[in-house]
Amino acid sequence: MSVAGLKKQFYKASQLVSEKVGGAEGTKLDDDFKEMEKKVDLTSKAVTEVLARTTEYLQPNPASRAKLTMLNTVSKIRGQVKNPGYPQSEGLLGESMIRYGKELGDESNFGDALLDAGESMKRLAEVKDSLDIEVKQNFIDPLQNLCDKDLKEIQHHLKKLEGRRLDFDYKKKRQGKIPDEELRQALEKFEESKEVAETSMHNLLETDIEQVSQLSALVEAQLVYHKQAVQILDELADKLKRRVMEASSRPRREYKPKPRESYEFGESDQSNGGFSCNPTPKVSDDE
């Protein structure tokens, strides 16, 4: 850093200390500017909070949520919806139902019903994949870009404005001790930064219709998802109702126990593998 740069940093630090500790007053920004700055700050907080909550809404599971933040939406360019790279809970449920439905077999009413339900759950997982990709591409990504670019740029301009304001106020208090040209340049830079910051904030607030459009895209994606989910579940409910009616109209098979085998409990010469309990014959004294 040059000597002039070091001097400027010293001026700003000295002015900041005198304001924070000594109670000195700096140049006040007009009310319109401060109101605009307040609205931009609220917009920034709203976007950050909504982004986090939207991701939680799509994927309550933290592990899957981490994968969602890295979702690549290039596959959506040609209108092809691909798996986002993590399993949906509906899909896992469907796989479990299908596995046990097959094991129970065709003769089981419950097994057949599990197969129907499992296929429907897998279809729900597919439309949930589509929802995740659609929301990320048309809602999360644009808002994230707003945070990373526009809002970040405004924060840069405001920070630069504050630095130039401190530099100008330091020199203004020492008017007569520093060259007039140096004070004039400090004032020009301060006013220039104020205008740049003001313009960037104005442009953001005046184009907030873009955020309304992105919010509309979120709601539209949810609407499509729920319509598809209702259709899938309606079809499944009809299938299960028919199975209940068919099973109820079918005569029940009565349980007929097999005849019991008869056992004889008489004496048997066969040993059970243990030691013989027959008494040892006595030897006669005449032998």
Side-chain angles (χ1 to χ4, degrees), residues 216-244:
S216 176
L218 167 66
V219 174
E220 183 64 28
Q222 289 175 300
L223 187 59
V224 170
Y225 164 72
H226 285 294
K227 282 182 177 179
Q228 292 176 333
V230 166
Q231 182 179 353
I232 292 169
L233 292 174
D234 275 343
E235 293 173 2
L236 175 60
D238 289 341
K239 282 183 181 179
L240 295 179
K241 285 177 183 176
R242 286 196 299 270
R243 288 197 178 278
V244 170

Side-chain angles (χ1 to χ4, degrees), residues 3-54:
V3 175
L6 287 172
K7 286 175 64 179
K8 186 172 291 188
Q9 291 298 322
F10 173 75
Y11 294 162
K12 290 189 288 187
S14 298
Q15 180 63 24
L16 183 62
V17 170
S18 66
E19 290 179 7
K20 297 293 184 183
V21 179
E25 288 193 6
T27 300
K28 300 293 184 181
L29 296 166
D30 58 84
D31 291 340
D32 289 342
F33 185 94
K34 289 191 288 186
E35 182 65 23
M36 200 179 298
E37 188 177 7
K38 181 180 177 182
K39 288 181 179 179
V40 168
D41 183 57
L42 283 172
T43 300
S44 177
K45 290 177 179 177
V47 170
T48 302
E49 179 79 7
V50 168
L51 274 174
R53 298 304 178 192
T54 302

Side-chain angles (χ1 to χ4, degrees), residues 109-127:
N109 291 320
F110 183 41
D112 288 339
L114 280 175
L115 289 173
D116 289 338
E119 290 297 336
S120 294
M121 291 301 114
K122 291 182 70 174
R123 288 174 62 195
L124 283 176
E126 291 175 2
V127 297

Side-chain angles (χ1 to χ4, degrees), residues 105-141:
D106 296 338
E107 295 182 359
S108 168
N109 291 320
F110 183 41
D112 288 339
L114 280 175
L115 289 173
D116 289 338
E119 290 297 336
S120 294
M121 291 301 114
K122 291 182 70 174
R123 288 174 62 195
L124 283 176
E126 291 175 2
V127 297
K128 186 64 164 51
D129 284 343
S130 299
L131 172 68
D132 286 3
I133 294 172
E134 191 74 25
V135 170
K136 187 176 189 304
Q137 183 182 32
N138 297 320
F139 184 70
I140 293 178
D141 285 350

Side-chain angles (χ1 to χ4, degrees), residues 32-268:
D32 289 342
F33 185 94
K34 289 191 288 186
E35 182 65 23
M36 200 179 298
E37 188 177 7
K38 181 180 177 182
K39 288 181 179 179
V40 168
D41 183 57
L42 283 172
T43 300
S44 177
K45 290 177 179 177
V47 170
T48 302
E49 179 79 7
V50 168
L51 274 174
R53 298 304 178 192
T54 302
T55 306
E56 290 178 10
Y57 158 74
L58 291 177
Q59 272 303 332
N61 183 291
S64 297
R65 194 157 63 236
K67 294 180 182 179
L68 176 63
T69 60
M70 299 183 292
L71 176 62
N72 187 352
T73 56
V74 174
S75 60
K76 195 73 168 61
I77 293 176
R78 297 182 181 179
Q80 297 174 343
V81 179
K82 295 185 178 179
N83 190 293
Y86 51 82
Q88 301 287 0
S89 56
E90 295 87 347
L92 296 174
L93 175 59
E95 290 174 3
S96 175
M97 288 178 168
I98 290 172
R99 182 172 69 252
Y100 285 105
K102 289 179 178 178
E103 289 186 14
L104 286 168
D106 296 338
E107 295 182 359
S108 168
N109 291 320
F110 183 41
D112 288 339
L114 280 175
L115 289 173
D116 289 338
E119 290 297 336
S120 294
M121 291 301 114
K122 291 182 70 174
R123 288 174 62 195
L124 283 176
E126 291 175 2
V127 297
K128 186 64 164 51
D129 284 343
S130 299
L131 172 68
D132 286 3
I133 294 172
E134 191 74 25
V135 170
K136 187 176 189 304
Q137 183 182 32
N138 297 320
F139 184 70
I140 293 178
D141 285 350
L143 285 185
Q144 190 63 56
N145 185 61
L146 180 70
C147 282
D148 296 341
K149 186 180 177 182
D150 297 346
L151 289 170
K152 191 173 183 180
E153 187 176 294
I154 289 172
Q155 289 303 317
H156 169 74
H157 291 321
L158 290 173
K159 185 177 180 181
K160 192 171 185 178
L161 170 64
E162 178 63 8
R164 288 183 170 181
R165 198 271 304 166
L166 290 169
D167 181 61
F168 167 66
D169 283 343
Y170 177 86
K171 292 173 180 177
K172 184 173 65 172
K173 286 196 305 182
R174 285 155 184 78
Q175 191 172 2
K177 297 180 181 179
I178 60 172
D180 290 343
E181 179 61 20
E182 191 173 338
L183 179 60
R184 185 186 64 80
Q185 289 180 358
L187 176 60
E188 285 183 356
K189 288 183 177 180
F190 166 65
E191 290 179 339
E192 177 189 336
S193 284
K194 180 177 179 293
E195 185 177 341
V196 171
E198 207 164 25
T199 301
S200 63
M201 290 191 295
H202 173 80
N203 291 339
L204 174 74
L205 296 174
E206 286 299 310
T207 57
D208 64 350
I209 189 62
E210 294 181 12
Q211 284 77 64
V212 178
S213 176
Q214 290 148 13
L215 189 60
S216 176
L218 167 66
V219 174
E220 183 64 28
Q222 289 175 300
L223 187 59
V224 170
Y225 164 72
H226 285 294
K227 282 182 177 179
Q228 292 176 333
V230 166
Q231 182 179 353
I232 292 169
L233 292 174
D234 275 343
E235 293 173 2
L236 175 60
D238 289 341
K239 282 183 181 179
L240 295 179
K241 285 177 183 176
R242 286 196 299 270
R243 288 197 178 278
V244 170
M245 292 175 64
E246 290 172 4
S248 300
S249 62
R250 222 180 284 135
R252 292 184 61 181
R253 293 175 296 179
E254 293 185 8
Y255 172 68
K256 295 181 180 180
K258 295 179 181 179
R260 297 181 181 180
E261 296 183 14
S262 59
Y263 294 94
E264 294 182 3
F265 296 96
E267 293 183 0
S268 173

